[in-house]
Amino acid sequence: MRLLRLFLFFFSFGLCSQELPPIQNFAPSEYKGENQNWAISQSQEKTIFVANNKNLLEFNGAEWTAYPSPNETVIRSVRVIGDKVFTGCYMEFGYWDRNAFGMLEYTSISDQLDIEFIPDEEFWNILDIGDYIIFQSKNRIYIYNTADASVFTIDSINTLPKIFNVGQSIYFQRFNEGIFKIQGGTDILVFADPAILEDEVVGIFQDNDNLLILTRRKGFFKTEGGALVKWDISADNLLSNVNVYSSMRLQDQGFALGTISNGLLLLDPDGTLLYHVKQVNGLQNNTVLSLFEDFDKNVWLGLDNGISYINLKSPFRVYHDSEGFVGSVYDAVVQGETLYLGTNQGLFYKNLENDSGFTQINGTQGQVWSLFVYDDTFFCAHHTGTFVIEGNRAKKIADIPGTWKIGKVEGSPEYLLQGNYDGLYVLENKNGAWGLRNKVEGFDNSARYFEKFDDAIFVNHEYKGVFRMDIDDSMTAAKDIRVDTLLKGSNSSILKFKDELLYASRKGILKYDTAQRKFVKDSILSEIYTRDEFTSGKLITDDRNNYLWVFADTDINYVTSGNLTNTPSINQIPLSANERSGIVGYESVIGLPQEQSYLFGSSSGYITAKIDDFEVDDFQVNLKNIRKTGKNLDEKQQAMVALNADGDFKSNENNFTISYAAAVYNKYLKPEYQFQLQGIYPNWSAWSETSKTTFENLPPGDYTFNVRAKAGDKISENVASYSFKVARPWYISNVFIALYVMGILLTSIVIHNAYKRFYHKRQEKLIEKNERDLALAQAENEKEIIRIKNEQLREDFNTKSKELAASTMSIIRKNELLSKIKELLVVHVKDKDAVKPIINTIDSSLNQRDDWEMFKEAFNNADRKFLKKLKKAHPNLSPNDIRLCAYLRLNLSSKEIAPLLNISARSVEIKRYRLRKKMNLDHDENLVNYILKL
């Protein structure tokens, strides 16, 4: 046993070097609950529900929501059945249903049925078969018929640890009695083998016509001919030394086993161990209380402290150096079946064909900057110098500190160029052995990136610029050194790729123009990232497929040749800088032996990806909730909004926060969202991972909110929508607009009548004054009387003319005002029926003859003989013609006459033309002058 435990220790240590599927962990502080999580389930909308010590937890892919336990006890079980979420806790079971606001509300089944529980009864499992829902406690099974709301029970004196649904049959274990099957409403003993009498059964699975039975400490057993036999599998020794607490069979027929203190075991259908996931290699806790496989084949773990899920079908695999033994990976090389990692702690290797751990090569402790293979010779560029690697041994061939990079010298296969902290060096192959030949004199700057191009050497220095130099034939001295100081920037680099020399920095990707002897912007490659998306200018070309690799903030890009043209094709791997946890400016990528598989170095290990396998399952985006917000609303008013009907809100309810989510559970493919608000913002927003948006101070109007999501390059199947209306304030409602118009009309009429009364009174006062003056004048001589009378008459005529002009202008202004009001009502008020009476009133006012009669009376007073002369000279004139003549007598323009006649200026011109014809005026005779002379 002691030797076996020692073997398991080293076996487990080897598994720590496994490349695992991505693991996403959630701490209690993130999901707003207690540590322990006892069961997990999922709805048809892919929402995850977790039975937690304190709450029922809901996760929609973007946000956790916690619903307190109905009786403030531990929720032990959860199962989604249809559109209801069933839970069991201490002395209570029931279901949660979503209300109109998108929130869950609890209904107690046990209260409705008035069930008398066993003392201290807790419900640990929930199953469903047809119309029946089964709730299991440690000493009783409740079978609830949803069709008639009846319930019957199966009691047990001995403990019932778990209950299992196998092929639509219910099995359970009674301690010290055996395994039972529920048939016809009663329990029947089917197995009483000593193996299960002495151990707890934690899983029962279908195996063709037989059963597989998993025990807590003794592994798997198979049923053969009514008896139990041990299932002999390669993982059996491991299973005999762990404490299995939870289990499930996966969709691919493999097994997931949760243990106490030993993490998660994932087995293939034959019982071979695939992965052992523990706290040391990425899991946040080693005790797995519950397991669940979602629709997208992710495995969810309810832990003793936290919640996790594992993307088993992800194209990514992660080697996480949680113990810090390997360190940060700066470069990697595959030689035969061996993987070498150059890290900040040295050079490490492991066999690709097994899960053995990494071993450090003696003598390479310290920073490795890059690895290079040339003609089957493996070079290691190290902080302390240059090494040649042969298997698991390192031979130092150059003691010059700080070797950045080693590169080929085209046309001289016996030489290699080496970039160091203090310039360039030459390596030479003599008699099959590589060694340091000389330093290139005349250039003493750091040469981390260099390339031979256009018969010259180019060296990129992040802070000084790009150097261009020639090297003499003996490769001992640099000459004609020039530097482009405009090309400098942190994390910039140069690289030769397909006969082009490329330079990358925050400004974009440039290529060297040999004719202009300068770098110019590459219009295609510069589309890979913007200034805001720039993280690193590190460019890499891999030897396997000759791809160009570029690293941006939101993804990794690789450039390939077009299928039909030479135009480069840009492809994305959705792995953000934050998720890949790379070493900025020192990124690395190499091709692996598997087709289209690549390794990317990270700050704590590496990530592998199969780059042609980024298929994302179909998904939908859903509105989670809508909340009214704003300073003008009290706490009660700042409430949820019903999602199942269009919204109709008051004018002060014009601030909203809308939450939405897409249930995409992928550590490296986080969903992004895009929204629009039709009615004010017709354009779609930029893509963002933020799953809520706020609108403030929306003006009155009709709106439709739309949101969609994407994961990687895949867009959600649907667009989630919500329509609502914000009412106008009371002071600009239809009723008040009508009141405003009526008020203006009444005011106009009052003002007009006041003017009429004023001028009538004034005229009466003038007459009285004239009478008094005439009476006094009679005492004077006849001549003086006549003179005074004539003067008085002239004064009277002038006064009346002014009064007539004032009255006329008042009528013009009134009619213009009424016409403008009518026009505004017709154009701006949508409810035509509401304003029709007002428009009729305005038309009636514009067409009434009272204004003309008043004008006519005033006109006769001012010019009594004109109308008589006009009728005598032209008896064929109509009343409207006489009215036009009177206005022309006052020398009014067509524009001024138009509102008096309630017609357009053009119509006035036509009337004037017809009047000339009736008067038989000559073509050269002016109509106004003629009327003035009458």
Side-chain angles (χ1 to χ4, degrees):
M1 180 61 71
R2 189 172 183 181
L3 290 174
L4 180 60
R5 292 188 182 277
L6 189 62
F7 163 76
L8 288 174
F9 170 78
F10 285 107
F11 177 71
S12 181
F13 178 77
L15 289 179
C16 292
S17 66
Q18 279 186 308
E19 296 166 7
L20 297 175
I23 303 170
Q24 179 67 59
N25 294 313
F26 299 101
S29 59
E30 293 178 82
Y31 58 71
K32 306 167 190 173
E34 294 293 334
N35 294 352
Q36 293 177 313
N37 299 282
W38 297 99
I40 304 173
S41 190
Q42 187 178 31
S43 69
Q44 288 297 319
E45 294 79 23
K46 297 187 177 182
T47 302
I48 292 293
F49 295 93
V50 181
N52 177 259
N53 265 6
K54 185 178 181 181
N55 308 294
L56 172 65
L57 304 176
E58 176 189 12
F59 184 53
N60 57 16
E63 184 180 6
W64 288 94
T65 304
Y67 297 94
S69 170
N71 59 359
E72 299 183 356
T73 63
V74 176
I75 299 178
R76 297 288 186 184
S77 55
V78 61
R79 189 172 188 86
V80 179
I81 304 172
D83 57 357
K84 294 180 171 61
V85 182
F86 290 83
T87 58
C89 51
Y90 176 81
M91 305 291 283
E92 173 69 49
F93 61 79
Y95 64 87
W96 305 73
D97 205 2
R98 208 172 292 281
N99 61 24
F101 305 103
M103 306 302 289
L104 294 177
E105 293 180 342
Y106 183 74
T107 300
S108 174
I109 296 176
S110 54
D111 283 352
Q112 290 178 348
L113 300 178
D114 195 21
I115 294 175
E116 185 176 348
F117 290 119
I118 300 171
D120 294 331
E121 192 169 16
E122 291 185 275
F123 294 92
W124 291 82
N125 287 287
I126 303 173
L127 299 177
D128 68 293
I129 296 180
D131 292 334
Y132 295 95
I133 300 176
I134 299 106
F135 299 90
Q136 175 246 322
S137 70
K138 292 298 185 181
N139 293 97
R140 181 181 286 175
I141 296 173
Y142 294 80
I143 302 176
Y144 172 63
N145 188 338
T146 59
D148 58 11
S150 63
V151 64
F152 67 92
T153 62
I154 296 175
D155 290 349
S156 177
I157 298 173
N158 292 325
T159 301
L160 309 173
K162 292 183 185 295
I163 189 170
F164 309 96
N165 182 354
V166 183
Q168 295 299 299
S169 295
I170 299 299
Y171 293 85
F172 64 90
Q173 179 194 26
R174 283 192 177 106
F175 276 160
N176 301 320
E177 293 184 49
I179 296 176
F180 292 78
K181 178 181 179 180
I182 299 177
Q183 188 169 321
T186 61
D187 52 313
I188 301 172
L189 179 65
V190 290
F191 299 107
D193 192 276
I196 58 175
L197 293 177
E198 299 169 358
D199 201 358
E200 179 182 338
V201 174
V202 294
I204 302 178
F205 311 101
Q206 192 76 48
D207 182 34
N208 297 321
D209 294 331
N210 298 313
L211 297 176
L212 279 177
I213 298 175
L214 175 63
T215 62
R216 188 159 185 163
R217 295 177 178 85
K218 296 181 180 180
F220 282 96
F221 292 84
K222 297 177 69 173
T223 62
E224 291 184 0
L228 291 184
V229 297
K230 196 79 171 70
W231 188 30
D232 187 16
I233 57 176
S234 60
D236 198 46
N237 287 333
L238 177 61
L239 294 180
S240 298
N241 287 274
V242 296
N243 189 341
V244 179
Y245 183 83
S246 55
S247 67
M248 69 175 302
R249 193 155 203 177
L250 304 177
Q251 297 176 46
D252 65 1
Q253 298 305 302
F255 300 91
L257 312 181
T259 72
I260 302 295
S261 302
N262 277 285
L264 175 72
L265 306 178
L266 291 168
L267 312 181
D268 70 8
D270 297 324
T272 301
L273 181 65
L274 296 175
Y275 303 109
H276 189 175
V277 187
K278 303 194 298 182
Q279 194 164 353
V280 72
N281 56 14
L283 204 59
Q284 64 180 339
N285 186 263
N286 278 334
T287 296
V288 182
L289 301 177
S290 56
L291 291 166
F292 179 79
E293 185 179 20
D294 66 19
F295 291 119
D296 299 320
K297 301 181 181 179
N298 302 306
V299 175
W300 289 76
L301 291 76
L303 304 175
D304 193 57
N305 185 14
I307 300 169
S308 300
Y309 68 76
I310 302 175
N311 299 134
L312 285 183
K313 304 306 177 184
S314 171
F316 296 106
R317 291 294 180 267
V318 181
Y319 167 67
H320 181 65
D321 180 31
S322 58
E323 295 182 344
F325 173 65
V326 172
S328 302
V329 176
Y330 282 73
D331 206 351
V333 162
V334 174
Q335 287 284 84
E337 295 179 353
T338 303
L339 171 64
Y340 292 88
L341 299 181
T343 79
N344 65 321
Q345 297 180 172
L347 184 63
F348 297 81
Y349 71 95
K350 66 166 283 188
N351 192 306
L352 285 172
E353 300 302 316
N354 57 52
D355 291 321
S356 61
F358 282 97
T359 302
Q360 188 172 44
I361 296 178
N362 289 332
T364 64
Q365 290 82 355
Q367 177 71 57
V368 174
W369 291 117
S370 64
L371 303 175
F372 177 66
V373 178
Y374 180 69
D375 282 348
D376 296 328
T377 302
F378 178 16
F379 294 89
C380 174
H382 198 278
H383 171 69
T384 62
T386 306
F387 294 86
V388 169
I389 308 300
E390 297 175 350
N392 60 358
R393 292 179 299 156
K395 177 184 177 183
K396 182 175 282 190
I397 63 171
D399 282 324
I400 306 301
T403 303
W404 286 115
K405 172 189 173 182
I406 301 169
K408 295 184 291 186
V409 179
E410 294 181 6
S412 302
E414 72 277 15
Y415 296 123
L416 292 173
L417 199 59
Q418 175 177 293
N420 280 64
Y421 296 167
D422 61 348
L424 295 169
Y425 290 81
V426 178
L427 300 179
E428 183 180 19
N429 189 339
K430 281 186 178 182
N431 301 320
W434 287 93
L436 181 65
R437 178 176 179 265
N438 63 272
K439 183 182 190 300
V440 177
E441 301 295 337
F443 183 76
D444 299 320
N445 292 288
S446 177
R448 180 180 166 197
Y449 298 108
F450 65 85
E451 295 291 343
K452 190 173 189 300
F453 183 79
D454 194 26
D455 295 327
I457 300 296
F458 290 80
V459 178
N460 177 66
H461 194 291
E462 293 179 82
Y463 309 117
K464 294 183 178 180
V466 176
F467 292 89
R468 184 187 191 279
M469 69 192 77
D470 296 327
I471 297 181
D472 62 10
D473 294 338
S474 64
M475 299 187 68
T476 58
K479 57 184 180 179
D480 193 19
I481 300 174
R482 284 162 287 173
V483 59
D484 187 344
T485 57
L486 296 177
L487 296 178
K488 58 183 177 181
S490 178
N491 297 326
S492 60
S493 75
I494 59 171
L495 179 73
K496 186 178 178 181
F497 177 68
K498 292 186 177 181
D499 300 324
E500 296 278 3
L501 182 63
L502 303 177
Y503 169 85
S505 69
R506 185 177 294 277
K507 297 177 182 177
I509 299 178
L510 315 180
K511 65 181 178 181
Y512 189 74
D513 188 318
T514 54
Q516 302 183 58
R517 296 174 69 87
K518 69 175 184 178
F519 285 91
V520 296
K521 194 161 191 175
D522 188 298
S523 58
I524 296 176
L525 297 181
S526 289
E527 293 179 358
I528 292 177
Y529 59 80
T530 64
R531 291 182 66 91
D532 292 336
E533 294 170 340
F534 174 83
T535 55
S536 171
K538 179 74 176 287
L539 301 176
I540 301 173
T541 179
D542 70 90
D543 296 331
R544 180 173 298 276
N545 293 304
N546 202 25
Y547 293 161
L548 174 67
W549 294 87
V550 185
F551 299 84
D553 181 57
T554 55
D555 49 31
I556 298 174
N557 301 265
Y558 63 97
V559 181
T560 63
S561 298
N563 293 329
L564 301 177
T565 67
N566 290 325
T567 303
S569 175
I570 300 172
N571 308 273
Q572 287 84 30
I573 298 175
L575 192 62
S576 69
N578 182 56
E579 295 293 350
R580 63 181 180 258
S581 187
I583 312 164
V584 176
Y586 296 89
E587 292 83 359
S588 61
V589 55
I590 64 162
L592 296 173
Q594 298 87 352
E595 185 68 21
Q596 292 296 88
S597 293
Y598 284 84
L599 181 150
F600 303 92
S602 74
S603 58
S604 59
Y606 59 83
I607 299 172
T608 66
K610 193 169 178 58
I611 65 174
D612 60 350
D613 186 24
F614 284 100
E615 184 69 25
V616 179
D617 292 330
D618 293 336
F619 65 94
Q620 293 190 341
V621 61
N622 296 295
L623 295 178
K624 176 175 170 52
N625 58 62
I626 300 174
R627 188 183 296 274
K628 294 184 291 184
T629 60
K631 297 180 179 178
N632 297 328
L633 300 177
D634 57 36
E635 187 173 345
K636 182 178 290 187
Q637 290 175 311
Q638 292 184 2
M640 295 290 186
V641 174
L643 301 176
N644 56 1
D646 292 348
D648 193 354
F649 303 104
K650 299 176 182 177
S651 60
N652 67 327
E653 297 175 332
N654 60 347
N655 299 285
F656 303 95
T657 295
I658 304 177
S659 299
Y660 36 84
V664 177
Y665 306 111
N666 191 311
K667 181 174 182 177
Y668 294 137
L669 287 176
K670 302 297 185 184
E672 295 181 303
Y673 304 94
Q674 191 180 50
F675 64 85
Q676 68 173 176
L677 186 61
Q678 292 180 347
I680 187 170
Y681 304 125
N683 296 326
W684 287 93
S685 67
W687 290 105
S688 170
E689 289 188 10
T690 304
S691 61
K692 66 172 62 175
T693 186
T694 299
F695 298 102
E696 296 181 339
N697 300 320
L698 290 177
D702 296 317
Y703 301 97
T704 298
F705 175 80
N706 296 318
V707 62
R708 59 190 178 190
K710 75 171 182 177
D713 294 328
K714 189 154 193 172
I715 303 295
S716 58
E717 292 182 299
N718 69 318
V719 174
S721 299
Y722 176 73
S723 297
F724 62 98
K725 177 181 180 180
V726 177
R728 289 180 293 183
W730 61 268
Y731 50 84
I732 58 171
S733 64
N734 290 340
V735 173
F736 273 83
I737 289 176
L739 291 176
Y740 295 150
V741 174
M742 291 297 295
I744 293 172
L745 288 175
L746 291 174
T747 302
S748 300
I749 294 172
V750 170
I751 292 173
H752 177 69
N753 290 334
Y755 269 110
K756 286 176 66 176
R757 289 193 299 272
F758 172 76
Y759 285 117
H760 276 295
K761 288 181 180 179
R762 186 172 179 181
Q763 187 177 22
E764 290 174 356
K765 289 180 180 179
L766 286 173
I767 293 172
E768 291 176 359
K769 184 176 182 299
N770 288 338
E771 289 177 350
R772 287 195 303 270
D773 291 342
L774 288 172
L776 293 173
Q778 287 178 358
E780 300 180 0
N781 58 52
E782 189 73 19
K783 186 177 180 180
E784 188 66 16
I785 291 174
I786 294 174
R787 184 182 65 80
I788 292 173
K789 184 176 179 181
N790 288 338
E791 288 179 355
Q792 187 65 41
L793 287 173
R794 282 194 296 272
E795 181 181 350
D796 184 52
F797 178 80
N798 290 335
T799 301
K800 290 176 181 179
S801 295
K802 291 178 182 179
E803 292 172 353
L804 180 61
S807 175
T808 302
M809 292 311 296
S810 174
I811 295 170
I812 290 172
R813 285 193 296 271
K814 183 205 75 171
N815 288 351
E816 285 178 342
L817 175 62
L818 292 176
S819 297
K820 185 65 177 179
I821 292 170
K822 175 183 175 182
E823 180 182 344
L824 290 173
L825 289 172
V826 171
V827 172
H828 294 288
V829 177
K830 294 181 180 178
D831 191 355
K832 304 303 181 184
D833 293 335
V835 299
K836 187 174 180 181
I838 300 171
I839 293 174
N840 292 339
T841 302
I842 292 173
D843 288 338
S844 175
S845 177
L846 289 172
N847 294 325
Q848 67 180 350
R849 294 186 53 83
D850 291 348
D851 294 336
W852 164 245
E853 294 300 327
M854 184 187 75
F855 173 84
K856 184 177 178 182
E857 179 181 354
F859 187 86
N860 279 329
N861 289 335
D863 197 351
R864 293 187 181 89
K865 297 180 180 181
F866 170 74
L867 294 180
K868 293 180 180 180
K869 291 179 181 180
L870 181 64
K871 291 178 180 179
K872 185 176 180 180
H874 302 284
N876 61 333
L877 295 182
S878 67
N880 284 336
D881 293 335
I882 295 172
R883 187 176 180 182
L884 177 61
C885 291
Y887 292 145
L888 292 173
R889 178 80 172 181
L890 294 177
N891 206 16
L892 298 178
S893 66
S894 297
K895 186 176 180 180
E896 293 170 325
I897 294 172
L900 294 171
L901 298 178
N902 194 23
I903 60 176
S904 66
R906 177 64 180 167
S907 298
V908 174
E909 291 295 332
I910 294 172
K911 282 183 172 291
R912 291 177 65 156
Y913 173 76
R914 291 173 179 169
L915 182 63
R916 288 178 60 86
K917 292 187 69 176
K918 285 186 179 182
M919 291 182 171
N920 297 319
L921 298 180
D922 294 334
H923 179 70
D924 296 330
E925 190 169 1
N926 186 280
L927 175 62
V928 177
N929 290 339
Y930 173 78
I931 292 174
L932 290 175
K933 290 177 182 178
L934 282 177

